[in-house]
Amino acid sequence: MLRLQNVVKTYGGKSAVTALAGIDLTVTGGEMVAIMGPSGSGKSTLLNLLGGLDVPTSGSILVAGTDLADKGEKERSMFRRTTISYIFQAYHLMPTLKVSQNVALPLHLAGESSAEVSRRVAQALKDVGLEGRSSHLPDELSGGERQRVAIARALVTGAPLLLADEPTGNLDTARGEEILNLLRAIHRERGTTIAMVTHDHHAASACDRLIRLRDGRVEGDGPVAGGGR
Ligand SMILES: Nc1ncnc2c1ncn2[C@@H]1O[C@H](COP(=O)(O)OP(=O)(O)O)[C@@H](O)[C@H]1O
Ligand SMILES: [Mg+2]
């Protein structure tokens, strides 16, 4: 699903920052991978490159067989719509749109018919246990519920790759656990490949494999002790 070869990412001009200093990595379809590392080690940069939100300075990134490094912005955005979905620590919902409208957004962008949109939105909300909340605004929901809306929005396109940047970072332990269980269920039932950045060892232990970054390099890579619960 993911193959990175000698991926380097530097930011800026004169006083350039090397965010990634040569990453080699392969993630097989259907894996659930945690990415950990100190602040500034390159986790978000890596996730943004995997998601085609940015391009590497050098090296190659294959996502589902497509090389993102040599694609333009427009092509990457087309590719993202069908293949990649994202969830973030801060949910990133549109505050003026109802829950159902938030979940429907990626389908509207993909040009789906309104009947198909309604059907798939209803199913996605059911899958995350929020079928009763479709007419609410994000403000009217708890943090855990908002993250479940974001997960429904991620699920609704059927993308095979889900990228998550600190998805439990704003939640208390119990709510975080619900989100991890949901991600785990999605992974198990749909075979979705999941890459999740986290600070939290407990969150990492929901995954099968742990990749540790330090100073823009892979410092460790292996199975999670007691992982894949
Ligand atoms: N847009 C940017 N411009 C300049 N430097 C950046 C930018 N994004 C990240 N960096 C730098 O790259 C390094 C890695 O950042 P990041 O990937 O955000 O780390 P992490 O998510 O692990 O905390 C840091 O030194 C950070 O300051
Ligand atoms: Mg980060």
Side-chain angles (χ1 to χ4, degrees):
M1 174 61 69
L2 300 171
R3 175 159 297 164
L4 283 71
Q5 283 180 310
N6 200 19
V7 168
V8 173
K9 179 69 182 178
T10 53
Y11 289 108
K14 274 177 245 149
S15 53
V17 176
T18 302
L20 297 176
I23 302 274
D24 292 294
L25 195 63
T26 301
V27 175
T28 309
E31 275 193 284
M32 184 165 176
V33 178
I35 300 168
M36 295 188 84
S39 180
S41 59
K43 304 179 299 295
S44 294
T45 301
L46 178 61
L47 215 62
N48 288 343
L49 295 180
L50 295 178
L53 297 174
D54 200 356
V55 287
T57 308
S58 63
S60 74
I61 301 183
L62 288 175
V63 179
T66 296
D67 191 345
L68 289 179
D70 60 19
K71 293 265 178 297
E73 170 58 40
K74 210 170 168 187
E75 277 173 296
R76 277 186 285 129
S77 126
M78 291 291 288
F79 180 78
R80 277 201 303 271
R81 265 176 222 167
T82 53
T83 311
I84 303 166
S85 54
Y86 250 101
I87 56 175
F88 303 90
Q89 176 170 356
Y91 325 124
H92 290 208
L93 302 175
M94 304 287 273
T96 59
L97 297 183
K98 293 190 291 189
V99 163
S100 58
Q101 293 170 320
N102 267 286
V103 176
L105 272 180
L107 296 177
H108 286 306
L109 289 173
E112 296 289 350
S113 71
S114 53
E116 181 67 9
V117 171
S118 308
R119 193 185 67 76
R120 283 165 68 176
V121 168
Q123 183 62 48
L125 286 174
K126 191 155 176 266
D127 290 346
V128 302
L130 284 182
E131 56 270 64
R133 292 284 194 278
S134 64
S135 303
H136 289 241
L137 289 170
D139 269 359
E140 298 165 346
L141 304 178
S142 69
E145 287 171 336
R146 284 183 218 182
Q147 193 60 296
R148 283 194 276 153
V149 175
I151 292 173
R153 182 182 56 188
L155 289 180
V156 79
T157 60
L161 175 62
L162 174 62
L163 303 175
D165 200 347
E166 300 268 2
T168 60
N170 281 6
L171 303 175
D172 65 35
T173 307
R175 248 38 70 189
E177 191 65 26
E178 286 173 14
I179 295 301
L180 293 169
N181 287 338
L182 188 53
L183 292 175
R184 190 87 213 142
I186 290 163
H187 164 70
R188 194 175 50 235
E189 285 158 23
R190 305 183 179 222
T192 307
T193 307
I194 301 180
M196 174 174 76
V197 167
T198 181
H199 272 106
D200 173 14
H201 280 94
H202 182 70
S205 74
C207 299
D208 307 308
R209 173 179 168 194
L210 172 59
I211 295 165
R212 289 180 175 282
L213 296 186
R214 182 176 294 273
D215 299 333
R217 296 177 195 281
V218 175
E219 181 189 52
D221 183 353
V224 181
R229 64 177 179 278

